[in-house]
């Protein structure tokens, strides 16, 4: 009799533990939506998760309850389920029945109302119905669902597991269009010997870009147009330049090159051609590119605009002009500098200055002045002010002076005063021209 009693206790213990044996499992795969596609919808739009499927991880009995909670708060618009749900087991005739018990703004609760005798519900897959989610919530964050169960009449939680398998991510978002990637940049050198009217190596320069348009996302946007814009500085509105697009239509107006495409562009090569030796001077400059995608949208409020990158580096044009190094120039209270640029040619030339201190720190001062044709230009104050703006006021510098004019037309003079004493600096310009004395 004692042995039978022990076996009865053991059987009861095993039956009780079956409620905690394994964890429930969310079987819904995450739906990844296109951010751009969702943004084209009306603000109060909804998306439907057709079936919320959960694999039970315990043996449920009558009056057990299971609550389905959606997060973040406000993500659930409505829940579409029958008054009761029947899930069948692997063996014919086995089933468990859930009845809708209550619903809040963010959750819905079912109660087990019937279970086939001797049917262990563990690993039974239950389709609880469809959930309608607010698009605004999907755009704001991932929408998750959590299944929590309590035992009949005790409020004791069960079927939770230790790895969070009873929680799953229903929706996430990703940008359908990637940032514009410039794979080949503008990189030509303007030839100053041509009066800055030609490139040094060819008659054209080009850049190539790529943009990914991932239409495999849920509800992708159908883009109607794409516009790519590049700022280009020219003289006289670029009338002597030609702008060519491989895949779109190029239009240049008032310093802005716009290329438009029908639909979603993913790649293009944009070329700038120098038409003839008689064009107006080219300008050394850095380029950036921006891209916008347009979609008419599902609402009736006009087009939606989506950026694929703003002011992305797209290369530069440099000059092969005169470069002179001033190897030494001191800066300190009581020391004054003397810097002149002489231009004996027929073209004005921008004067660009880069300096290096004793620690190797670089000070890129940009264009500090214009050396007018057939004139002498003092650049002392401009250089000193630009250095101060960069935080340099005292020390010794090596200075590179670049003038976008033919090499033979430019001379740079450098000196400094300490009290009544003057120090003259021999620039590398004289070293370069040392052979002029040995004709």
């Amino acid at each position: 009799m004692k042995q039978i009693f022990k076996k009865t206790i053991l059987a009861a213990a095993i039956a009780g533990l079956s409620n905690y044996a394994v964890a429930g499992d969310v079987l819904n795969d995450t739906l990844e939506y296109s951010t751009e596609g969702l943004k084209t919808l009306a603000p109060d739009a909804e998306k439907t998760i057709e079936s919320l499927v959960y694999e039970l991880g315990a043996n449920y009995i009558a009056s057990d309850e299971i609550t389905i909670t959606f997060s973040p708060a406000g993500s659930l618009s409505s829940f579409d389920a029958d008054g009761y749900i029947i899930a069948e087991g692997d063996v014919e005739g086995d089933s468990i029945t859930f009845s809708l018990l209550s619903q809040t703004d963010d959750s819905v609760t079912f109660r087990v109302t019937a279970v086939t005798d001797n049917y262990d519900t563990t690993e039974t897959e239950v389709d609880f119905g469809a959930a309608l989610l607010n698009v605004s919530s999907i755009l704001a964050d991932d929408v998750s669902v959590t299944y929590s169960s309590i035992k009949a009449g005790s409020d004791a939680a069960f079927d939770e597991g230790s790895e969070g398998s009873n929680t799953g991510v229903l929706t996430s978002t990703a940008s359908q269009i990637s940032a514009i990637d410039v794979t080949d940049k503008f990189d030509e050198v303007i030839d100053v010997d041509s009066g800055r009217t030609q490139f040094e190596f060819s008659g054209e320069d080009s850049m190539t870009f790529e943009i990914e348009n991932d239409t495999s996302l849920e509800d992708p946007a159908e883009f109607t147009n794409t516009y790519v814009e590049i700022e280009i500085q020219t003289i006289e509105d670029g009338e002597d330049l030609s702008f060519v697009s491989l895949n779109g239509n190029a239009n240049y107006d008032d310093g802005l090159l716009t290329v438009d495409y029908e639909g979603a562009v993913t790649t293009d090569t944009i070329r700038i051609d120098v038409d003839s030796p008689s064009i107006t001077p080219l300008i050394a400059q850095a380029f950036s590119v921006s891209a916008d995608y347009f979609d008419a949208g599902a609402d009736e409020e006009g087009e939606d605009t989506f950026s694929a990158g703003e002011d992305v580096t797209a290369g530069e044009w440099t000059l092969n002009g005169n470069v002179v190094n001033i190897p030494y120039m001191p800066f300190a209270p009581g020391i004054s500098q003397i810097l002149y640029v002489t231009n004996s040619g027929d073209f004005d030339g921008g004067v660009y200055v880069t300096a290096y201190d004793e620690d190797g720190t670089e000070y890129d001062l940009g264009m500090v002045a214009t050396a007018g044709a057939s004139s002498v230009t003092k650049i002392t104050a401009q250089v000193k002010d630009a250095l101060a703006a960069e935080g340099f006021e005292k020390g010794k510098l090596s200075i590179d002076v670049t003038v976008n004019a033919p090499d033979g037309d430019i001379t740079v003079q450098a000196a400094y005063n300490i009290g009544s004493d003057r120090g003259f600096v021999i620039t590398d310009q004289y070293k370069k021209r040392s052979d002029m004395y040995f004709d």
Side-chain angles (χ1 to χ4, degrees):
M1 187 71 175
K2 187 182 294 184
Q3 184 177 9
I4 295 174
F5 179 70
K6 287 181 178 179
K7 287 183 178 179
T8 303
I9 294 176
L10 179 60
I14 292 173
L17 288 173
S18 67
N19 287 320
Y20 302 89
V22 295
D25 191 14
V26 178
L27 299 185
N28 287 82
D29 293 329
T30 301
L31 297 177
E32 190 172 36
Y33 285 91
S34 161
T35 301
E36 293 79 8
L38 293 182
K39 286 183 176 179
T40 63
L41 303 180
D44 58 351
E46 300 170 336
K47 284 298 173 184
T48 302
I49 306 299
E50 296 292 347
S51 299
L52 287 170
V53 184
Y54 185 63
E55 183 181 77
L56 304 181
N59 187 22
Y60 285 70
I61 61 175
S63 295
D64 287 346
E65 295 179 8
I66 185 166
T67 298
I68 307 171
T69 303
F70 298 83
S71 61
S75 56
L76 178 63
S77 175
S78 62
F79 196 90
D80 184 12
D82 294 330
Y84 63 93
I85 296 168
I86 300 176
E88 297 181 350
D90 293 334
V91 176
E92 185 177 355
D94 286 346
S95 66
I96 179 173
T97 302
F98 292 87
S99 295
L100 183 62
L101 181 63
S102 62
Q103 184 172 348
T104 70
D105 289 342
D106 299 305
S107 67
V108 59
T109 300
F110 290 88
R111 175 178 288 166
V112 179
T113 54
V115 182
T116 303
D117 290 342
N118 300 318
Y119 171 39
D120 185 346
T121 64
T122 305
E123 298 185 355
T124 299
E125 296 182 7
V126 184
D127 183 348
F128 284 100
L132 278 70
L133 305 179
N134 292 312
V135 165
S136 57
S137 295
I138 299 175
L139 280 168
D141 200 355
D142 292 349
V143 176
S144 299
V145 63
T146 299
Y147 295 79
S148 54
S149 304
I150 58 173
K151 292 303 298 176
S154 68
D155 291 337
F158 74 107
D159 197 12
E160 290 181 317
S162 59
E163 299 181 356
S165 61
N166 59 322
T167 294
V169 178
L170 294 177
T171 67
S172 64
T173 57
S175 179
Q176 182 178 332
I177 48 178
S178 64
I180 186 169
D181 179 26
V182 181
T183 58
D184 182 27
K185 299 179 179 180
F186 293 121
D187 60 359
E188 270 296 342
V189 178
I190 300 170
D191 184 17
V192 296
D193 285 331
S194 69
R196 305 195 309 277
T197 63
Q198 294 290 295
F199 294 132
E200 183 177 21
F201 302 111
S202 71
E204 64 181 42
D205 196 12
S206 65
M207 61 86 76
T208 300
F209 69 83
E210 295 179 354
I211 304 174
E212 181 181 354
N213 177 31
D214 186 2
T215 57
S216 67
L217 297 171
E218 298 290 328
D219 289 351
E222 295 184 6
F223 298 109
T224 55
N225 294 95
T226 311
Y227 293 90
V228 172
E229 297 180 335
I230 306 172
E231 293 186 4
I232 299 177
Q233 303 174 55
T234 63
I235 298 176
E236 298 180 5
D237 202 27
E239 61 184 18
D240 293 319
L241 298 178
S242 295
F243 303 93
V244 181
S245 165
L246 185 64
N247 297 324
N249 300 309
N251 178 60
Y252 182 82
D253 182 46
D254 195 24
L256 189 66
L257 174 63
T258 302
V259 185
D260 64 275
Y261 310 82
E262 182 176 349
V265 66
T266 55
T267 186
D268 193 19
T269 295
I270 299 171
R271 191 178 75 242
I272 302 176
D273 293 336
V274 178
D275 284 344
S276 70
S278 61
I279 70 169
T280 53
L282 301 167
I283 298 175
Q285 59 193 289
F287 297 100
S288 63
V289 60
S290 303
D292 288 319
Y293 281 51
F294 292 83
D295 188 286
D299 56 21
E300 296 180 358
E301 299 179 2
E303 290 186 326
D304 292 284
T305 306
F306 305 102
S307 173
E310 297 290 336
D311 299 327
V312 177
T313 300
E316 64 177 335
W317 286 345
T318 57
L319 300 163
N320 64 353
N322 173 273
V323 181
V324 177
N325 174 252
I326 303 170
Y328 173 80
M329 184 60 65
F331 288 79
I335 301 178
S336 59
Q337 296 75 36
I338 303 169
L339 299 170
Y340 286 93
V341 175
T342 300
N343 181 359
S344 61
D346 297 327
F347 295 97
D348 296 346
V351 180
Y352 300 80
V353 175
T354 305
Y356 306 87
D357 65 17
E358 296 171 278
D359 297 326
T361 302
E362 178 180 326
Y363 302 91
D364 187 352
L365 308 184
M367 182 174 167
V368 300
T370 297
S374 302
S375 67
V376 177
T377 303
K378 186 175 183 179
I379 63 171
T380 307
Q382 297 93 318
V383 170
K384 193 169 184 178
D385 290 345
L387 286 169
E390 294 292 322
F392 178 87
E393 294 184 354
K394 182 179 179 180
K396 303 177 181 67
L397 295 179
S398 172
I399 301 175
D400 288 336
V401 178
T402 302
V403 183
N404 58 346
D407 188 58
D409 296 340
I410 301 299
T411 304
V412 176
Q413 295 85 30
Y416 57 89
N417 291 327
I418 303 179
S420 59
D421 297 326
R422 172 167 294 186
F424 292 93
V425 180
I426 299 176
T427 70
D428 72 340
Q429 187 171 31
Y430 296 99
K431 296 178 182 179
K432 295 175 186 175
R433 299 183 181 179
S434 60
D435 60 346
M436 65 185 292
Y437 301 106
F438 302 96
D439 290 341

